[in-house]
Structure formats: structure tokens, C-alpha cells
Amino acid sequence: MARIAVIGAGTGAMAAAARLAVAGHRVTVYERSGTYGGSVGRRARDGFVFDTGPGLLHLPAVYRDLFVKTGREPLEQCVTLRQVDPASRHIFADGTSVSLPNASRAGVVGALDRALGEGAGARWGEFLDRAGTAWNRSRRPLLEEPLPEDPRVLERDPYPSVRRRRLLRPAQEAATVSEVGEWELGDPRLAALLDGYALSYGLDPRRAPAAAALLPYMEETFGSWYVDGGMRALAEAVYERCLARKVEFVFGAEAVRVTEKDGRASGIELADGTAVEADHVVLGAWPGPGLLPAGAERAGARESVVPGRFVVLLSLRGAREADAVHRTVVHGGDPAAERDAVFGGRTADRPTVMVLRPDDPATRPDEEHEAVTLVVTVAPQGPVDWTDTVLRERFAQTVTDRAAAAVPGLRERILHTEVRTPADTAADTGAEGGSVPAPALAGAEGAYLHAGNRTRLPGLYLAGGWSHPGGGLAHAGMSGALVAGLVVEGDDFRGSR
């Protein structure tokens, strides 16, 4: 039985901790804050309850596998999962809107044809077929296997772009998300739909490789799911599974250094000077300055600007209308200007806003009120000073005005507003600038890969969104499975099944 110290209590770290405890190891989690869950937070006020992190779950099979492998009670016995249908409603800059059904290719094709004109659905369906090819080509090395020692297998873009023949010039193939939208989808609203998926994950559509097509493919193929009580309930279930497997948690314990002895990780040092000895260390949090020994991390390429999220929590009077949609995306009025702002360190004048309106009694004091969450991808703290009260309030007004397109009578219904910015995320999670990691992507010569789960220092492993295979609830859960496999099976581990 090995002693294992886990730094951070995010979902990826807890997924690793539960699996390692089941394997017979003695696991202790050290968390700098006073609670578990990392970015999967919750705010409550006067009977209103809000998620402050992810609003939906994709690829629930990742957490079903975690619960099967760590105990007798399956995931559905610990939380109530509901498919969200329609999966999303989209309001485009020209006023056109479309609701896309959950996990129904034929339904999506039909909805796009009716809303955007005959042929729009077919073009989107053909794009998803190509995205499915990218998924099949990259799924195992990108999501289910540790990052290889030589990651060149993931440097080539797996998306089979359509060749554009040009008179007297070489044929072109789309290399980025924006080029796929412009050259293959043939409708600015379809292009905005694709760009919106990338932006919601914190990716710049002008630079992200065409392989990002697997993000809408993943959502539209495997569905979008909500956890009753809010997504925080999933983090609670993972935490309780850890406790059931005898994982120990120490809150208010900030790790400041991973210690090294005889060429391998030997434990951690806490901010109060406490030395913790361990046979293995799992870092499941942002790798802050000085935390890792020099040269330990297998560096993966990272965006120069990794965006964060600006979140507006609205307590509303008045009942949620019967035909309200759980997730509505109000697309920006000027995509180029918005990208310039988000990835250039400014605030956008007409941002894309995700409006979340869960039909969940647990989120509101009674049926005559509603809890609504507005989410915008923004530049991180640093390029933008999100501690500036005037800036925060002005941008919250802009976001709320944009969201009014999705919520009837929004302005008149507001009882209370709370704003959370990347500055708050940085304070809560320790992530530099309050940035939120994007999922790893193949292509672009490896520029969108993350640091591998196995580091150059024996005994030190990386889990969570800042490591392979990147950010998001599903990807964090996968990282936990990969770390546990590497610790338990060592060099014989070939990936999750």
C-alpha cells in the first residue's frame, strides 16, 4: 500500500483519488480552499441556487465508469441525470433562431432546414460525418490513452477537410474552425453555430484546428445532460464516493512545493511549513510558480491567452414559462470584433451569451420564481482588470441586455444580481488569471495538447483540466482514470477501456 498525496480537490483529482483508494492505496487530498469541487461551484441566496461552473454534462459514460469501478452503487443511484431536450436554442445576429434536439442527428438536420432554409441541415449533417471521422481517428490517443512520449501522432489534424478546387491555383483545405465554417458550411449562421461551440470551450475559432469539430460532434452524438439539484451535485457524489473509499481530505491546506528525493517525488510541503511524505504525488490543480521541481512537467503547448468566464447570476420573480429552453445561446453581433476582444484582452461590445434556465425546483424558492445563469467567455484577469467595480457592473448590464432576447421580460423580473468574474475564479481555484482550460485537440502541430499525466519526475503525476486530455467535466474524469492507471499498472498501462 503506497502513500499518495493529491493536490487539489477538483473533479479530476477526486476521480483519481477514488480509483487509487480502491486499488488499495492510502490517499490524502490537500485542498487550498475550504471545499471540494474546484470550478464546479455553487452559490445560494434566499432559496435561489446557482451553478458557478459547468452547466451541463457531456459524455456521462466517464462518470458511470468511475462509479462502477469504485463501488457497488452506480452513478444513477447517487445522482439523477436528465437529458436536456432541446439540447440548445440558438439566436443569431439576424434574429433567426433554431432549437436543436438532444442526440438526434435527423432531428437536428430537420430543425436547421426549417429555420435556416433547405439544405442547411444536410450541410451540417455532412460536417458532422466528417467530425465523426475525426472522433474515430483521435478518440483513443487523445482521450483514453496517456499522452505518448512522442506526441507527433497527435500533431496531424484528424479532420478530413473538404478540398476546395480553385482555378489556376492549388486546392485549399480548411485548417481552422473559422475556415471550416466559411468554406464548408455555406451559411454565416451555421458558421456562427460552429464558432459558438469553440468559443464556449475558450478556443479562438480563427486559430483552433479543424479537429475542434469533434466538440459539437461529441455533444450532438452523446447528448447533453443535467444533474438534478445542479451540477454541484455531481461533485458532491464524487466527494462522497471518495469518503466511502476512505480517502482523507484536508481543507485549507495549500501545497507550495512538491518535494524530491533520490530523483523522484517524495511528498509535498504546505504553506504552513508542514512536510508531507508520500510515495506518489498527484497534482490536480493549476501548477503555480515554484510548485513543481524544475523540468518535472512534460510541457504541452498552451494558448498565449486562455480565457475565463464572466458569470451573471439572476434571481427572478415570475414563473419559468412552460416552453422555456434549458440552454439558449445568443450569438454575438460581430464575431470578428468579439474574437479580437476576448483574445486581445478587452471586453466585447456585443458578446455571445449562454443563458441557462434549468427546470429544477431545487434551484428556486417556489414555482413563482426562477434562477437564471448567464455565461460569457472573456479575457482573463490581467489583460482586463475584472476587479474594477465600474467595469464589472457595466459589462454585467451589457450581458443582461443581450440575454433579454432569450428570457421574456427579463429586466422587469430581476430581484437580485450577483456577478462572478475571472478574478473570482482565480481566487477560488488558484488558476492564473481565472483562466479555464480548454479540452485538448489534435492537429496544429500539437499546439492544443496539454501536459502529459506522467511527468519527467518519477512518482509525480498530473490530473485535472490543466493536464491531458484537458478541460471540461468529462475530460477531467478521463484524466483521473489515466493517472490511476499509470500509478497502479506503471509502464504496462495502455489506456482506459
Side-chain angles (χ1 to χ4, degrees), residues 386-475:
W386 290 115
T387 64
D388 184 331
T389 302
V390 174
L391 173 65
R392 288 165 62 111
E393 292 181 356
R394 184 175 68 243
F395 194 65
Q397 291 273 2
T398 298
V399 170
T400 304
D401 289 342
R402 300 277 298 148
V407 185
L410 176 60
R411 275 289 174 198
E412 295 72 28
R413 297 176 58 194
I414 296 175
L415 292 170
H416 181 262
T417 300
E418 181 176 350
V419 175
R420 295 186 58 78
T421 75
D424 299 304
T425 304
D428 290 346
T429 69
E432 183 178 6
S435 295
V436 178
L441 297 173
E445 299 182 343
Y448 289 81
L449 300 176
H450 291 261
N453 308 107
R454 180 195 286 116
T455 71
R456 293 187 177 94
L457 180 66
L460 174 62
Y461 302 86
L462 307 181
W466 294 106
S467 62
H468 179 73
L473 277 173
H475 292 71

Side-chain angles (χ1 to χ4, degrees), residues 1-10 12-18 20-21 24-32 246-250 253-260 264-270 274-285 291-292 453 455 457-463 483-484 487:
M1 177 177 69
R3 299 165 300 172
I4 299 178
V6 178
I7 301 172
M14 290 195 296
L20 289 167
H25 298 297
R26 189 173 129 202
V27 184
T28 304
V29 177
Y30 297 88
E31 166 58 43
R32 65 190 292 274
K246 309 303 182 185
V247 175
E248 182 181 353
F249 286 79
V250 182
E254 181 179 4
V256 295
R257 188 167 67 94
V258 174
T259 56
E260 178 182 359
R264 63 172 291 115
S266 60
I268 62 176
E269 180 182 329
L270 302 181
T274 301
V276 177
E277 294 184 354
D279 301 299
H280 302 282
V281 175
V282 177
L283 172 59
L291 181 60
L292 298 180
N453 308 107
T455 71
L457 180 66
L460 174 62
Y461 302 86
L462 307 181
V483 166
V487 173

